[in-house]
Amino acid sequence: LCRVNLSVAGVLLMKEYGFSQVVMGRVFSAFLLGYALFQIPGGMLADRYGARRVLAGAALWWVAATALLAAPIWGGFALAAMLALRFLLGVGEAPTFPSAAQAVARCVPPAEQGRANGFVIAAIGVGSAAAPPLLTAVMLGWGWRAALLISALPALAVALAWLAVGE
């Protein structure tokens, strides 16, 4: 949800800040840049600190970046803030798949690893499919900022779950 929330809320955000479609495309691309550049370092973090810690920290990172994106504090710095925060969200999401792959390899019996990895990858599709109707409903009632904050709640739940699980 944190990955695609801005795609859903983008129209209202563009209207509020006066962003063009080109500018909004740059904001969307900032995420991908951070995500691509930090995949390998994210995997290195998982190797060093373990999947549980990295996944918990990453999910907390998503919550913080998403909450800051929704904060009504940016004023004339909105574009710089959106670019930086989307880049940082990408950085925070980059360790997800390397860490999840490590967790599957270490904790799931070999005969079940394909299915476990399938669940991990399917979560992308589920989140992407759930985001538009869920966030649109929230936006219509409470605005785009509320939609972004709501989209961070599952990430918070995931972070707390990873923190509760022992090594």
Side-chain angles (χ1 to χ4, degrees), residues 39-77:
Q39 287 277 308
I40 293 171
M44 292 168 68
L45 283 173
D47 288 341
R48 181 165 186 150
Y49 298 106
R52 182 187 67 84
R53 287 186 184 128
V54 173
L55 288 168
L60 289 172
W61 186 303
W62 312 339
V63 172
T66 301
L68 286 170
L69 276 165
I73 59 175
W74 304 114
F77 299 101

PDB file of all heavy atoms in Angstrom, residues 39-77:
ATOM      1  N   GLN A  39      18.712  -1.958  -3.345  1.00  0.00           N
ATOM      2  CA  GLN A  39      18.424  -3.390  -3.264  1.00  0.00           C
ATOM      3  C   GLN A  39      19.631  -4.162  -2.712  1.00  0.00           C
ATOM      4  O   GLN A  39      19.486  -4.950  -1.782  1.00  0.00           O
ATOM      5  CB  GLN A  39      18.075  -3.938  -4.655  1.00  0.00           C
ATOM      6  CG  GLN A  39      16.720  -3.532  -5.154  1.00  0.00           C
ATOM      7  CD  GLN A  39      15.636  -4.419  -4.623  1.00  0.00           C
ATOM      8  OE1 GLN A  39      15.716  -5.638  -4.732  1.00  0.00           O
ATOM      9  NE2 GLN A  39      14.637  -3.821  -4.031  1.00  0.00           N
ATOM     10  N   ILE A  40      20.794  -3.950  -3.279  1.00  0.00           N
ATOM     11  CA  ILE A  40      21.982  -4.693  -2.838  1.00  0.00           C
ATOM     12  C   ILE A  40      22.378  -4.296  -1.417  1.00  0.00           C
ATOM     13  O   ILE A  40      22.588  -5.184  -0.571  1.00  0.00           O
ATOM     14  CB  ILE A  40      23.138  -4.534  -3.845  1.00  0.00           C
ATOM     15  CG1 ILE A  40      22.746  -5.240  -5.154  1.00  0.00           C
ATOM     16  CG2 ILE A  40      24.447  -5.097  -3.288  1.00  0.00           C
ATOM     17  CD1 ILE A  40      23.674  -4.991  -6.312  1.00  0.00           C
ATOM     18  N   PRO A  41      22.472  -2.996  -1.098  1.00  0.00           N
ATOM     19  CA  PRO A  41      22.751  -2.673   0.306  1.00  0.00           C
ATOM     20  C   PRO A  41      21.694  -3.228   1.264  1.00  0.00           C
ATOM     21  O   PRO A  41      22.023  -3.638   2.376  1.00  0.00           O
ATOM     22  CB  PRO A  41      22.768  -1.138   0.324  1.00  0.00           C
ATOM     23  CG  PRO A  41      23.126  -0.745  -1.066  1.00  0.00           C
ATOM     24  CD  PRO A  41      22.496  -1.787  -1.949  1.00  0.00           C
ATOM     25  N   GLY A  42      20.435  -3.278   0.819  1.00  0.00           N
ATOM     26  CA  GLY A  42      19.388  -3.856   1.663  1.00  0.00           C
ATOM     27  C   GLY A  42      19.623  -5.323   1.934  1.00  0.00           C
ATOM     28  O   GLY A  42      19.438  -5.811   3.052  1.00  0.00           O
ATOM     29  N   GLY A  43      20.055  -6.050   0.908  1.00  0.00           N
ATOM     30  CA  GLY A  43      20.404  -7.457   1.103  1.00  0.00           C
ATOM     31  C   GLY A  43      21.602  -7.631   2.017  1.00  0.00           C
ATOM     32  O   GLY A  43      21.655  -8.554   2.834  1.00  0.00           O
ATOM     33  N   MET A  44      22.551  -6.708   1.903  1.00  0.00           N
ATOM     34  CA  MET A  44      23.728  -6.755   2.782  1.00  0.00           C
ATOM     35  C   MET A  44      23.324  -6.525   4.241  1.00  0.00           C
ATOM     36  O   MET A  44      23.866  -7.157   5.151  1.00  0.00           O
ATOM     37  CB  MET A  44      24.760  -5.731   2.327  1.00  0.00           C
ATOM     38  CG  MET A  44      25.377  -6.080   0.977  1.00  0.00           C
ATOM     39  SD  MET A  44      26.332  -4.747   0.222  1.00  0.00           S
ATOM     40  CE  MET A  44      27.712  -4.637   1.357  1.00  0.00           C
ATOM     41  N   LEU A  45      22.365  -5.627   4.445  1.00  0.00           N
ATOM     42  CA  LEU A  45      21.865  -5.406   5.810  1.00  0.00           C
ATOM     43  C   LEU A  45      21.227  -6.673   6.366  1.00  0.00           C
ATOM     44  O   LEU A  45      21.427  -7.021   7.531  1.00  0.00           O
ATOM     45  CB  LEU A  45      20.847  -4.267   5.830  1.00  0.00           C
ATOM     46  CG  LEU A  45      21.397  -2.858   5.760  1.00  0.00           C
ATOM     47  CD1 LEU A  45      20.245  -1.852   5.613  1.00  0.00           C
ATOM     48  CD2 LEU A  45      22.221  -2.538   6.993  1.00  0.00           C
ATOM     49  N   ALA A  46      20.450  -7.361   5.531  1.00  0.00           N
ATOM     50  CA  ALA A  46      19.821  -8.609   5.975  1.00  0.00           C
ATOM     51  C   ALA A  46      20.878  -9.654   6.310  1.00  0.00           C
ATOM     52  O   ALA A  46      20.736 -10.398   7.287  1.00  0.00           O
ATOM     53  CB  ALA A  46      18.867  -9.126   4.904  1.00  0.00           C
ATOM     54  N   ASP A  47      21.930  -9.715   5.506  1.00  0.00           N
ATOM     55  CA  ASP A  47      23.014 -10.666   5.798  1.00  0.00           C
ATOM     56  C   ASP A  47      23.685 -10.353   7.130  1.00  0.00           C
ATOM     57  O   ASP A  47      24.057 -11.251   7.874  1.00  0.00           O
ATOM     58  CB  ASP A  47      24.074 -10.632   4.684  1.00  0.00           C
ATOM     59  CG  ASP A  47      23.591 -11.263   3.389  1.00  0.00           C
ATOM     60  OD1 ASP A  47      22.611 -12.038   3.424  1.00  0.00           O
ATOM     61  OD2 ASP A  47      24.204 -10.967   2.341  1.00  0.00           O
ATOM     62  N   ARG A  48      23.828  -9.085   7.408  1.00  0.00           N
ATOM     63  CA  ARG A  48      24.548  -8.684   8.630  1.00  0.00           C
ATOM     64  C   ARG A  48      23.675  -8.746   9.890  1.00  0.00           C
ATOM     65  O   ARG A  48      24.119  -9.192  10.940  1.00  0.00           O
ATOM     66  CB  ARG A  48      25.098  -7.285   8.465  1.00  0.00           C
ATOM     67  CG  ARG A  48      25.856  -6.835   9.681  1.00  0.00           C
ATOM     68  CD  ARG A  48      26.684  -5.638   9.430  1.00  0.00           C
ATOM     69  NE  ARG A  48      27.459  -5.391  10.633  1.00  0.00           N
ATOM     70  CZ  ARG A  48      28.620  -4.836  10.646  1.00  0.00           C
ATOM     71  NH1 ARG A  48      29.179  -4.471   9.523  1.00  0.00           N
ATOM     72  NH2 ARG A  48      29.255  -4.632  11.767  1.00  0.00           N
ATOM     73  N   TYR A  49      22.419  -8.256   9.782  1.00  0.00           N
ATOM     74  CA  TYR A  49      21.578  -8.111  10.975  1.00  0.00           C
ATOM     75  C   TYR A  49      20.406  -9.089  11.040  1.00  0.00           C
ATOM     76  O   TYR A  49      19.731  -9.149  12.059  1.00  0.00           O
ATOM     77  CB  TYR A  49      21.044  -6.678  11.066  1.00  0.00           C
ATOM     78  CG  TYR A  49      22.145  -5.673  11.217  1.00  0.00           C
ATOM     79  CD1 TYR A  49      22.509  -4.853  10.157  1.00  0.00           C
ATOM     80  CD2 TYR A  49      22.858  -5.567  12.404  1.00  0.00           C
ATOM     81  CE1 TYR A  49      23.542  -3.929  10.276  1.00  0.00           C
ATOM     82  CE2 TYR A  49      23.896  -4.647  12.535  1.00  0.00           C
ATOM     83  CZ  TYR A  49      24.226  -3.840  11.466  1.00  0.00           C
ATOM     84  OH  TYR A  49      25.252  -2.939  11.585  1.00  0.00           O
ATOM     85  N   GLY A  50      20.164  -9.828   9.985  1.00  0.00           N
ATOM     86  CA  GLY A  50      19.068 -10.787   9.975  1.00  0.00           C
ATOM     87  C   GLY A  50      17.794 -10.197   9.398  1.00  0.00           C
ATOM     88  O   GLY A  50      17.536  -8.995   9.483  1.00  0.00           O
ATOM     89  N   ALA A  51      17.015 -11.069   8.798  1.00  0.00           N
ATOM     90  CA  ALA A  51      15.793 -10.650   8.112  1.00  0.00           C
ATOM     91  C   ALA A  51      14.791 -10.005   9.066  1.00  0.00           C
ATOM     92  O   ALA A  51      14.170  -9.000   8.726  1.00  0.00           O
ATOM     93  CB  ALA A  51      15.164 -11.843   7.414  1.00  0.00           C
ATOM     94  N   ARG A  52      14.619 -10.555  10.248  1.00  0.00           N
ATOM     95  CA  ARG A  52      13.621 -10.031  11.176  1.00  0.00           C
ATOM     96  C   ARG A  52      13.874  -8.572  11.506  1.00  0.00           C
ATOM     97  O   ARG A  52      12.988  -7.728  11.411  1.00  0.00           O
ATOM     98  CB  ARG A  52      13.582 -10.865  12.463  1.00  0.00           C
ATOM     99  CG  ARG A  52      12.506 -10.389  13.445  1.00  0.00           C
ATOM    100  CD  ARG A  52      12.606 -11.128  14.777  1.00  0.00           C
ATOM    101  NE  ARG A  52      13.819 -10.816  15.498  1.00  0.00           N
ATOM    102  CZ  ARG A  52      13.971  -9.750  16.288  1.00  0.00           C
ATOM    103  NH1 ARG A  52      12.998  -8.883  16.440  1.00  0.00           N
ATOM    104  NH2 ARG A  52      15.102  -9.545  16.926  1.00  0.00           N
ATOM    105  N   ARG A  53      15.092  -8.268  11.886  1.00  0.00           N
ATOM    106  CA  ARG A  53      15.416  -6.880  12.248  1.00  0.00           C
ATOM    107  C   ARG A  53      15.274  -5.941  11.051  1.00  0.00           C
ATOM    108  O   ARG A  53      14.764  -4.837  11.171  1.00  0.00           O
ATOM    109  CB  ARG A  53      16.832  -6.792  12.799  1.00  0.00           C
ATOM    110  CG  ARG A  53      16.985  -7.347  14.173  1.00  0.00           C
ATOM    111  CD  ARG A  53      18.401  -7.082  14.681  1.00  0.00           C
ATOM    112  NE  ARG A  53      18.566  -7.700  15.976  1.00  0.00           N
ATOM    113  CZ  ARG A  53      19.558  -8.521  16.284  1.00  0.00           C
ATOM    114  NH1 ARG A  53      20.476  -8.819  15.389  1.00  0.00           N
ATOM    115  NH2 ARG A  53      19.646  -9.040  17.482  1.00  0.00           N
ATOM    116  N   VAL A  54      15.782  -6.378   9.916  1.00  0.00           N
ATOM    117  CA  VAL A  54      15.748  -5.516   8.733  1.00  0.00           C
ATOM    118  C   VAL A  54      14.301  -5.309   8.268  1.00  0.00           C
ATOM    119  O   VAL A  54      13.912  -4.191   7.931  1.00  0.00           O
ATOM    120  CB  VAL A  54      16.639  -6.079   7.608  1.00  0.00           C
ATOM    121  CG1 VAL A  54      16.472  -5.286   6.319  1.00  0.00           C
ATOM    122  CG2 VAL A  54      18.099  -6.064   8.061  1.00  0.00           C
ATOM    123  N   LEU A  55      13.499  -6.363   8.265  1.00  0.00           N
ATOM    124  CA  LEU A  55      12.103  -6.212   7.849  1.00  0.00           C
ATOM    125  C   LEU A  55      11.316  -5.339   8.824  1.00  0.00           C
ATOM    126  O   LEU A  55      10.492  -4.522   8.400  1.00  0.00           O
ATOM    127  CB  LEU A  55      11.442  -7.576   7.676  1.00  0.00           C
ATOM    128  CG  LEU A  55      11.910  -8.358   6.451  1.00  0.00           C
ATOM    129  CD1 LEU A  55      11.440  -9.797   6.514  1.00  0.00           C
ATOM    130  CD2 LEU A  55      11.444  -7.684   5.165  1.00  0.00           C
ATOM    131  N   ALA A  56      11.572  -5.474  10.106  1.00  0.00           N
ATOM    132  CA  ALA A  56      10.903  -4.607  11.087  1.00  0.00           C
ATOM    133  C   ALA A  56      11.324  -3.156  10.897  1.00  0.00           C
ATOM    134  O   ALA A  56      10.481  -2.247  10.864  1.00  0.00           O
ATOM    135  CB  ALA A  56      11.220  -5.074  12.514  1.00  0.00           C
ATOM    136  N   GLY A  57      12.630  -2.933  10.750  1.00  0.00           N
ATOM    137  CA  GLY A  57      13.114  -1.571  10.547  1.00  0.00           C
ATOM    138  C   GLY A  57      12.615  -0.972   9.248  1.00  0.00           C
ATOM    139  O   GLY A  57      12.252   0.208   9.186  1.00  0.00           O
ATOM    140  N   ALA A  58      12.591  -1.777   8.191  1.00  0.00           N
ATOM    141  CA  ALA A  58      12.109  -1.290   6.896  1.00  0.00           C
ATOM    142  C   ALA A  58      10.646  -0.874   6.992  1.00  0.00           C
ATOM    143  O   ALA A  58      10.259   0.194   6.502  1.00  0.00           O
ATOM    144  CB  ALA A  58      12.298  -2.360   5.825  1.00  0.00           C
ATOM    145  N   ALA A  59       9.833  -1.695   7.623  1.00  0.00           N
ATOM    146  CA  ALA A  59       8.406  -1.369   7.734  1.00  0.00           C
ATOM    147  C   ALA A  59       8.192  -0.101   8.564  1.00  0.00           C
ATOM    148  O   ALA A  59       7.347   0.737   8.227  1.00  0.00           O
ATOM    149  CB  ALA A  59       7.633  -2.545   8.323  1.00  0.00           C
ATOM    150  N   LEU A  60       8.963   0.070   9.627  1.00  0.00           N
ATOM    151  CA  LEU A  60       8.868   1.314  10.400  1.00  0.00           C
ATOM    152  C   LEU A  60       9.304   2.510   9.557  1.00  0.00           C
ATOM    153  O   LEU A  60       8.729   3.594   9.657  1.00  0.00           O
ATOM    154  CB  LEU A  60       9.709   1.220  11.678  1.00  0.00           C
ATOM    155  CG  LEU A  60       9.154   0.292  12.757  1.00  0.00           C
ATOM    156  CD1 LEU A  60      10.159   0.123  13.888  1.00  0.00           C
ATOM    157  CD2 LEU A  60       7.825   0.808  13.286  1.00  0.00           C
ATOM    158  N   TRP A  61      10.289   2.311   8.723  1.00  0.00           N
ATOM    159  CA  TRP A  61      10.768   3.348   7.803  1.00  0.00           C
ATOM    160  C   TRP A  61       9.638   3.756   6.857  1.00  0.00           C
ATOM    161  O   TRP A  61       9.425   4.926   6.597  1.00  0.00           O
ATOM    162  CB  TRP A  61      11.953   2.781   7.034  1.00  0.00           C
ATOM    163  CG  TRP A  61      12.698   3.708   6.123  1.00  0.00           C
ATOM    164  CD1 TRP A  61      12.192   4.428   5.080  1.00  0.00           C
ATOM    165  CD2 TRP A  61      14.087   3.975   6.146  1.00  0.00           C
ATOM    166  NE1 TRP A  61      13.190   5.120   4.441  1.00  0.00           N
ATOM    167  CE2 TRP A  61      14.363   4.847   5.086  1.00  0.00           C
ATOM    168  CE3 TRP A  61      15.126   3.536   6.946  1.00  0.00           C
ATOM    169  CZ2 TRP A  61      15.651   5.305   4.810  1.00  0.00           C
ATOM    170  CZ3 TRP A  61      16.397   3.995   6.665  1.00  0.00           C
ATOM    171  CH2 TRP A  61      16.653   4.869   5.617  1.00  0.00           C
ATOM    172  N   TRP A  62       8.891   2.758   6.319  1.00  0.00           N
ATOM    173  CA  TRP A  62       7.775   3.068   5.405  1.00  0.00           C
ATOM    174  C   TRP A  62       6.730   3.916   6.110  1.00  0.00           C
ATOM    175  O   TRP A  62       6.187   4.849   5.529  1.00  0.00           O
ATOM    176  CB  TRP A  62       7.072   1.824   4.905  1.00  0.00           C
ATOM    177  CG  TRP A  62       7.911   0.721   4.377  1.00  0.00           C
ATOM    178  CD1 TRP A  62       9.201   0.793   3.908  1.00  0.00           C
ATOM    179  CD2 TRP A  62       7.533  -0.635   4.278  1.00  0.00           C
ATOM    180  NE1 TRP A  62       9.627  -0.448   3.526  1.00  0.00           N
ATOM    181  CE2 TRP A  62       8.630  -1.345   3.741  1.00  0.00           C
ATOM    182  CE3 TRP A  62       6.372  -1.334   4.590  1.00  0.00           C
ATOM    183  CZ2 TRP A  62       8.592  -2.708   3.495  1.00  0.00           C
ATOM    184  CZ3 TRP A  62       6.325  -2.689   4.352  1.00  0.00           C
ATOM    185  CH2 TRP A  62       7.433  -3.366   3.813  1.00  0.00           C
ATOM    186  N   VAL A  63       6.443   3.546   7.356  1.00  0.00           N
ATOM    187  CA  VAL A  63       5.443   4.286   8.123  1.00  0.00           C
ATOM    188  C   VAL A  63       5.885   5.739   8.292  1.00  0.00           C
ATOM    189  O   VAL A  63       5.107   6.673   8.071  1.00  0.00           O
ATOM    190  CB  VAL A  63       5.188   3.623   9.499  1.00  0.00           C
ATOM    191  CG1 VAL A  63       4.301   4.486  10.367  1.00  0.00           C
ATOM    192  CG2 VAL A  63       4.574   2.239   9.310  1.00  0.00           C
ATOM    193  N   ALA A  64       7.131   5.939   8.671  1.00  0.00           N
ATOM    194  CA  ALA A  64       7.637   7.298   8.889  1.00  0.00           C
ATOM    195  C   ALA A  64       7.624   8.108   7.597  1.00  0.00           C
ATOM    196  O   ALA A  64       7.161   9.261   7.571  1.00  0.00           O
ATOM    197  CB  ALA A  64       9.055   7.244   9.465  1.00  0.00           C
ATOM    198  N   ALA A  65       8.126   7.522   6.507  1.00  0.00           N
ATOM    199  CA  ALA A  65       8.160   8.251   5.229  1.00  0.00           C
ATOM    200  C   ALA A  65       6.757   8.584   4.759  1.00  0.00           C
ATOM    201  O   ALA A  65       6.497   9.698   4.279  1.00  0.00           O
ATOM    202  CB  ALA A  65       8.899   7.435   4.174  1.00  0.00           C
ATOM    203  N   THR A  66       5.832   7.649   4.904  1.00  0.00           N
ATOM    204  CA  THR A  66       4.458   7.878   4.466  1.00  0.00           C
ATOM    205  C   THR A  66       3.782   8.942   5.322  1.00  0.00           C
ATOM    206  O   THR A  66       3.088   9.817   4.797  1.00  0.00           O
ATOM    207  CB  THR A  66       3.665   6.558   4.492  1.00  0.00           C
ATOM    208  OG1 THR A  66       4.325   5.617   3.632  1.00  0.00           O
ATOM    209  CG2 THR A  66       2.249   6.744   4.019  1.00  0.00           C
ATOM    210  N   ALA A  67       3.993   8.886   6.625  1.00  0.00           N
ATOM    211  CA  ALA A  67       3.404   9.901   7.512  1.00  0.00           C
ATOM    212  C   ALA A  67       3.959  11.288   7.193  1.00  0.00           C
ATOM    213  O   ALA A  67       3.210  12.275   7.181  1.00  0.00           O
ATOM    214  CB  ALA A  67       3.659   9.535   8.973  1.00  0.00           C
ATOM    215  N   LEU A  68       5.243  11.369   6.920  1.00  0.00           N
ATOM    216  CA  LEU A  68       5.831  12.664   6.563  1.00  0.00           C
ATOM    217  C   LEU A  68       5.311  13.177   5.218  1.00  0.00           C
ATOM    218  O   LEU A  68       5.113  14.373   5.047  1.00  0.00           O
ATOM    219  CB  LEU A  68       7.355  12.568   6.546  1.00  0.00           C
ATOM    220  CG  LEU A  68       8.005  12.494   7.926  1.00  0.00           C
ATOM    221  CD1 LEU A  68       9.487  12.162   7.804  1.00  0.00           C
ATOM    222  CD2 LEU A  68       7.805  13.791   8.689  1.00  0.00           C
ATOM    223  N   LEU A  69       5.060  12.265   4.275  1.00  0.00           N
ATOM    224  CA  LEU A  69       4.459  12.675   2.999  1.00  0.00           C
ATOM    225  C   LEU A  69       3.087  13.298   3.227  1.00  0.00           C
ATOM    226  O   LEU A  69       2.709  14.242   2.540  1.00  0.00           O
ATOM    227  CB  LEU A  69       4.304  11.472   2.062  1.00  0.00           C
ATOM    228  CG  LEU A  69       5.511  11.072   1.247  1.00  0.00           C
ATOM    229  CD1 LEU A  69       5.326   9.685   0.659  1.00  0.00           C
ATOM    230  CD2 LEU A  69       5.770  12.077   0.139  1.00  0.00           C
ATOM    231  N   ALA A  70       2.365  12.769   4.193  1.00  0.00           N
ATOM    232  CA  ALA A  70       1.009  13.251   4.459  1.00  0.00           C
ATOM    233  C   ALA A  70       0.988  14.511   5.319  1.00  0.00           C
ATOM    234  O   ALA A  70      -0.041  15.183   5.400  1.00  0.00           O
ATOM    235  CB  ALA A  70       0.200  12.155   5.151  1.00  0.00           C
ATOM    236  N   ALA A  71       2.093  14.825   5.937  1.00  0.00           N
ATOM    237  CA  ALA A  71       2.134  15.972   6.859  1.00  0.00           C
ATOM    238  C   ALA A  71       1.893  17.290   6.107  1.00  0.00           C
ATOM    239  O   ALA A  71       2.503  17.537   5.077  1.00  0.00           O
ATOM    240  CB  ALA A  71       3.474  16.017   7.574  1.00  0.00           C
ATOM    241  N   PRO A  72       1.027  18.126   6.644  1.00  0.00           N
ATOM    242  CA  PRO A  72       0.724  19.414   5.978  1.00  0.00           C
ATOM    243  C   PRO A  72       1.713  20.513   6.366  1.00  0.00           C
ATOM    244  O   PRO A  72       1.326  21.626   6.705  1.00  0.00           O
ATOM    245  CB  PRO A  72      -0.683  19.720   6.486  1.00  0.00           C
ATOM    246  CG  PRO A  72      -0.722  19.124   7.846  1.00  0.00           C
ATOM    247  CD  PRO A  72       0.157  17.888   7.779  1.00  0.00           C
ATOM    248  N   ILE A  73       3.005  20.203   6.316  1.00  0.00           N
ATOM    249  CA  ILE A  73       4.006  21.142   6.828  1.00  0.00           C
ATOM    250  C   ILE A  73       4.966  21.640   5.765  1.00  0.00           C
ATOM    251  O   ILE A  73       5.860  22.426   6.066  1.00  0.00           O
ATOM    252  CB  ILE A  73       4.830  20.473   7.957  1.00  0.00           C
ATOM    253  CG1 ILE A  73       5.528  19.218   7.447  1.00  0.00           C
ATOM    254  CG2 ILE A  73       3.950  20.171   9.157  1.00  0.00           C
ATOM    255  CD1 ILE A  73       6.461  18.573   8.451  1.00  0.00           C
ATOM    256  N   TRP A  74       4.814  21.218   4.514  1.00  0.00           N
ATOM    257  CA  TRP A  74       5.846  21.459   3.527  1.00  0.00           C
ATOM    258  C   TRP A  74       5.731  22.791   2.809  1.00  0.00           C
ATOM    259  O   TRP A  74       6.729  23.330   2.370  1.00  0.00           O
ATOM    260  CB  TRP A  74       5.906  20.302   2.529  1.00  0.00           C
ATOM    261  CG  TRP A  74       6.120  19.001   3.244  1.00  0.00           C
ATOM    262  CD1 TRP A  74       5.261  17.968   3.329  1.00  0.00           C
ATOM    263  CD2 TRP A  74       7.247  18.636   4.021  1.00  0.00           C
ATOM    264  NE1 TRP A  74       5.786  16.959   4.101  1.00  0.00           N
ATOM    265  CE2 TRP A  74       7.011  17.348   4.548  1.00  0.00           C
ATOM    266  CE3 TRP A  74       8.455  19.257   4.336  1.00  0.00           C
ATOM    267  CZ2 TRP A  74       7.925  16.680   5.352  1.00  0.00           C
ATOM    268  CZ3 TRP A  74       9.348  18.590   5.144  1.00  0.00           C
ATOM    269  CH2 TRP A  74       9.092  17.319   5.639  1.00  0.00           C
ATOM    270  N   GLY A  75       4.549  23.331   2.655  1.00  0.00           N
ATOM    271  CA  GLY A  75       4.368  24.644   2.029  1.00  0.00           C
ATOM    272  C   GLY A  75       5.127  24.776   0.727  1.00  0.00           C
ATOM    273  O   GLY A  75       4.989  23.967  -0.183  1.00  0.00           O
ATOM    274  N   GLY A  76       5.968  25.789   0.613  1.00  0.00           N
ATOM    275  CA  GLY A  76       6.732  26.053  -0.593  1.00  0.00           C
ATOM    276  C   GLY A  76       7.821  25.036  -0.878  1.00  0.00           C
ATOM    277  O   GLY A  76       8.436  25.077  -1.938  1.00  0.00           O
ATOM    278  N   PHE A  77       8.055  24.131   0.058  1.00  0.00           N
ATOM    279  CA  PHE A  77       9.072  23.088  -0.124  1.00  0.00           C
ATOM    280  C   PHE A  77       8.445  21.747  -0.490  1.00  0.00           C
ATOM    281  O   PHE A  77       9.093  20.717  -0.397  1.00  0.00           O
ATOM    282  CB  PHE A  77       9.900  22.928   1.157  1.00  0.00           C
ATOM    283  CG  PHE A  77      10.629  24.180   1.539  1.00  0.00           C
ATOM    284  CD1 PHE A  77      10.135  24.998   2.540  1.00  0.00           C
ATOM    285  CD2 PHE A  77      11.797  24.546   0.886  1.00  0.00           C
ATOM    286  CE1 PHE A  77      10.792  26.165   2.893  1.00  0.00           C
ATOM    287  CE2 PHE A  77      12.471  25.701   1.223  1.00  0.00           C
ATOM    288  CZ  PHE A  77      11.963  26.525   2.234  1.00  0.00           C
TER     289      PHE A  77
END
